[in-house]
Amino acid sequence: MSDIWQQLETHRSQTADTPILSLFKDTSRFDSYSAETDGLLLDFSKTSLDAMAMDLLVRLAQAEGLDAKIAAMFRGDAINSTEGRAVLHTALRAQADTPIQVDGADVLPEIRAIRQQMQHFAEAVRSGDFAAVDGGRFTDVINIGIGGSDLGPAMATLALAPYHDGPRCHFVSNIDGAHIHDTLAGLDPQRTLVIIASKTFTTIETMTNAETALVWLQAALGDKAPDHLAAVSTAQDKTAALGIAPERVFGFENWVGGRYSLWGPVGLPILLAIGTENFQAFLRGADAMDSHFQNAPLHQNLPVLLGLVGIWHNNICGYGSRAILPYDQHLQRLPAYLQQLDMESNGKRVAQDGSPLPRASGPVVWGEPGTNGQHAFYQLLHQGTAVVPAEFLIAAEAHEPELQHHHNLLKANCLAQSEALMRGRSLAEARDVAAKRGLDGAEQQRMAAHLSFPGNRPSVTIAYPKLTPFVLGQIIALYEHRVFTEGMIWGLNPFDQWGVELGKELAVALLPMVEGAPADSKDGSTCGLLSKLTPRPATQT
């Protein structure tokens, strides 16, 4: 395997000066460097990949046993090696009846029973059959969670706004009191259902926000306040202690990681907003991508190809960041969602056996929707000193046919940005631009330097017919499996997140000090900051 890495690096050194634009002398390049499944297209032709690089990358995936590792995940093997767990978020959306075994038991019957419980509850809320304590219909739902219990459902609910026909959904995650305060301020407790999403019912941010919401409900509803609560949790003793009826508690197993959990009970807000039929289409889209990931040859497999492009850019070209740029306002939270999915999964420094990784792992993932980003950070993408591979997402058709001119302009901007990143503007072309502005001599030369673009900056584009529930399911599953592909090639475990633990532990220890306890055990910086941030009694003299 180290041989293949070396060959990739050697090939890159030999071809690094080849402009991406020149590769399009091959008139079939777009067809050769794009792939499609169920209407979802991945175009990676605007990268520096060529036939030799692709062949080596596919060989790298084969050498790492990627096919076998994909099969092991879908089979229910305990591939989360540091926690001894299976990884089966894919089972939450599985459409076939083929048994999926964990510890010798088929998990599908329980998954489907819980989904049926979710659907029954959601449709009862949507229809008004499950009503507020005064008999009125719930108009608003607040989902209180954090991390995977917030980012996934918040992103997907916003993405599917054109399909909303249920109660309005609001999301609270931050422990900052402003978040819960500002959310509650605009709502009527008589008309509001609160979902508390915490597997263990011990997540400090979630439970603190939940307690504040419960006090708000109690002020209006008295001892009937628990009737306006539901929970996504496995801690039924704790949910019962809060007065939440068992039929309003939805659990999921430890083989579903938080950032992969929106397909099951964590997705309850999505189901409440869009209804059973659309939620099922969402699951079918993800399942279709699962089937493609398992069955398509590596060189035609969209998640694998997207992962190999990521490996090429990160490890071979040395680009340590990637920008997610959806030209779709409904996907405005997708960059934040993928930031967690990617960086919490693959932001690791040791291999599965505990040894240091020999090369870079997960890149920095960030982004904003177009065209807003064009007026914010595209300056750096086009003319900055760092090369940041861009990932564009664009629909052929929008949900607002009466505003087709808006969507035409959006598509033109998306295509123009990827072309501009690749094409650039030479110094000679920039001098012509400066000359047309009436400049000559030294001033023309000076301005030409500012008006030139290096170009040769790579991008991929994901294009789809329209952002439907099915297509959103495809897109999310595509990125989940891209993360898996990269993680397997790097040899790490994408399904744990030990890096979040230390800060949590220290925060618990610091809370008494923030409240005034002595902080002598802390470093000088922490003590100094505590003195500035914590009101303390004046010293008597």
Side-chain angles (χ1 to χ4, degrees):
M1 176 138 17
S2 58
D3 247 13
I4 302 175
W5 284 108
Q6 184 58 55
Q7 290 176 63
L8 279 164
E9 290 164 3
T10 299
H11 181 67
R12 172 61 179 171
S13 70
Q14 293 169 344
T15 59
D17 293 334
T18 303
I20 296 170
L21 185 61
S22 72
L23 300 176
F24 283 89
K25 292 174 184 174
D26 174 4
T27 57
S28 65
R29 180 169 174 81
F30 174 79
D31 293 330
S32 301
Y33 293 82
S34 64
E36 186 173 351
T37 181
D38 291 312
L40 188 77
L41 172 76
L42 170 65
D43 168 27
F44 56 102
S45 60
K46 290 192 186 78
T47 68
S48 57
L49 287 163
D50 59 13
M52 173 66 78
M54 284 305 306
D55 178 66
L56 288 168
L57 287 166
V58 170
R59 283 171 52 197
L60 184 66
Q62 291 168 333
E64 193 55 56
L66 183 60
D67 277 329
K69 290 177 179 179
I70 292 170
M73 177 174 70
F74 282 92
R75 194 168 54 234
D77 293 4
I79 64 169
N80 179 349
S81 58
T82 62
E83 297 176 299
R85 297 172 180 170
V87 175
L88 279 176
H89 51 280
T90 54
L92 297 177
R93 64 231 190 180
Q95 301 296 300
D97 293 324
T98 307
I100 300 173
Q101 305 281 335
V102 175
D103 298 328
D106 182 10
V107 300
L108 282 180
E110 182 182 3
I111 288 171
R112 289 175 179 172
I114 293 173
R115 189 188 305 158
Q116 188 172 26
Q117 178 196 1
M118 288 170 57
Q119 291 171 352
H120 176 78
F121 175 70
E123 293 304 334
V125 172
R126 287 161 53 83
S127 68
D129 288 344
F130 178 75
V133 296
D134 64 359
R137 187 188 294 263
F138 286 110
T139 59
D140 293 272
V141 174
I142 303 174
N143 185 84
I144 299 177
I146 198 165
S149 297
D150 170 76
L151 276 168
M155 177 275 296
T157 301
L158 182 60
L160 298 177
Y163 298 89
H164 288 196
D165 57 2
R168 294 182 294 266
C169 291
H170 314 267
F171 295 87
V172 172
S173 56
N174 201 332
I175 193 63
D176 186 336
H179 200 181
I180 186 74
H181 173 274
D182 292 354
T183 302
L184 297 179
L187 300 177
D188 177 1
Q190 300 276 2
R191 302 273 73 82
T192 303
L193 174 71
V194 175
I195 302 170
I196 305 168
S198 171
K199 183 182 283 190
T200 61
F201 244 50
T202 58
T203 310
I204 190 166
E205 298 95 337
T206 298
M207 298 317 299
T208 302
N209 281 324
E211 289 164 10
T212 299
L214 182 57
V215 169
W216 176 73
L217 288 173
Q218 287 169 335
L221 307 175
D223 60 6
K224 293 289 188 181
D227 292 349
H228 281 220
L229 297 178
V232 176
S233 178
T234 56
Q236 294 207 357
D237 55 336
K238 293 183 173 66
T239 61
L242 213 56
I244 306 174
E247 62 269 20
R248 286 182 274 120
V249 179
F250 308 91
F252 56 100
E253 298 296 331
N254 64 11
W255 33 258
V256 179
R259 57 192 174 275
Y260 298 92
S261 63
L262 79 168
W263 314 104
V266 165
L268 182 59
I270 312 169
L271 179 55
L272 283 160
I274 66 175
T276 296
E277 184 178 345
N278 285 319
F279 190 76
Q280 291 283 19
F282 175 58
L283 299 182
R284 286 197 303 274
D287 180 69
M289 185 59 70
D290 292 344
S291 179
H292 173 79
F293 186 48
Q294 291 177 84
N295 298 310
L298 296 182
H299 66 281
Q300 296 172 354
N301 191 308
L302 267 68
V304 172
L305 290 169
L306 192 56
L308 295 180
V309 169
I311 295 286
W312 173 256
H313 286 155
N314 188 9
N315 296 109
I316 308 304
C317 300
Y319 307 147
S321 174
R322 63 174 62 125
I324 308 296
L325 308 171
Y327 275 66
D328 195 319
Q329 182 64 17
H330 290 127
L331 290 177
Q332 63 183 275
R333 293 290 289 160
L334 183 68
Y337 172 77
L338 294 181
Q339 188 176 70
Q340 186 208 19
L341 177 67
D342 202 318
M343 294 174 71
E344 193 166 78
S345 295
N346 286 342
K348 310 289 171 61
R349 57 186 294 274
V350 297
Q352 298 223 24
D353 63 4
S355 62
L357 289 175
R359 55 188 54 85
S361 60
V364 175
V365 177
W366 58 283
E368 273 287 315
T371 57
N372 292 15
Q374 293 177 201
H375 296 267
F377 53 79
Y378 278 39
Q379 168 65 44
L380 183 146
L381 296 186
H382 285 288
Q383 291 185 313
T385 54
V387 175
V388 180
E391 299 185 3
F392 297 95
L393 295 97
I394 184 71
E397 182 184 352
H399 285 277
E400 304 80 22
E402 72 281 9
L403 298 174
Q404 184 61 40
H405 60 297
H406 282 256
H407 196 61
N408 290 342
L409 186 56
L410 184 75
K411 288 190 285 189
N413 270 275
C414 180
L415 298 179
Q417 291 299 323
S418 67
E419 182 184 5
L421 284 167
M422 174 182 67
R423 184 179 294 276
R425 179 191 283 158
S426 70
L427 200 58
E429 291 169 328
R431 279 196 293 268
D432 289 342
V433 174
K436 288 175 183 175
R437 296 184 179 186
L439 302 177
D440 56 20
E443 185 61 10
Q444 181 189 102
Q445 187 68 18
R446 185 182 75 86
M447 281 307 300
H450 292 277
L451 295 170
S452 65
F453 290 69
N456 207 37
R457 301 201 165 190
S459 68
V460 302
T461 299
I462 296 167
Y464 44 93
K466 188 176 186 177
L467 189 60
T468 63
F470 183 91
V471 166
L472 181 64
Q474 287 180 292
I475 290 170
I476 298 171
L478 167 69
Y479 273 99
E480 286 179 345
H481 298 324
R482 184 258 194 95
V483 165
F484 178 88
T485 296
E486 292 181 332
M488 293 303 100
I489 291 174
W490 287 321
L492 53 80
N493 179 10
F495 301 108
D496 60 12
Q497 55 278 333
W498 299 108
V500 307
E501 297 299 322
L502 180 58
K504 288 182 181 179
E505 294 169 12
L506 292 175
V508 171
L510 271 162
L511 181 58
M513 301 174 199
V514 170
E515 293 172 341
D520 300 338
S521 62
K522 293 296 177 181
D523 60 88
S525 172
T526 302
C527 289
L529 290 167
L530 280 167
S531 71
K532 295 295 183 185
L533 296 172
T534 306
R536 296 176 186 273
T539 304
Q540 296 295 319
T541 57

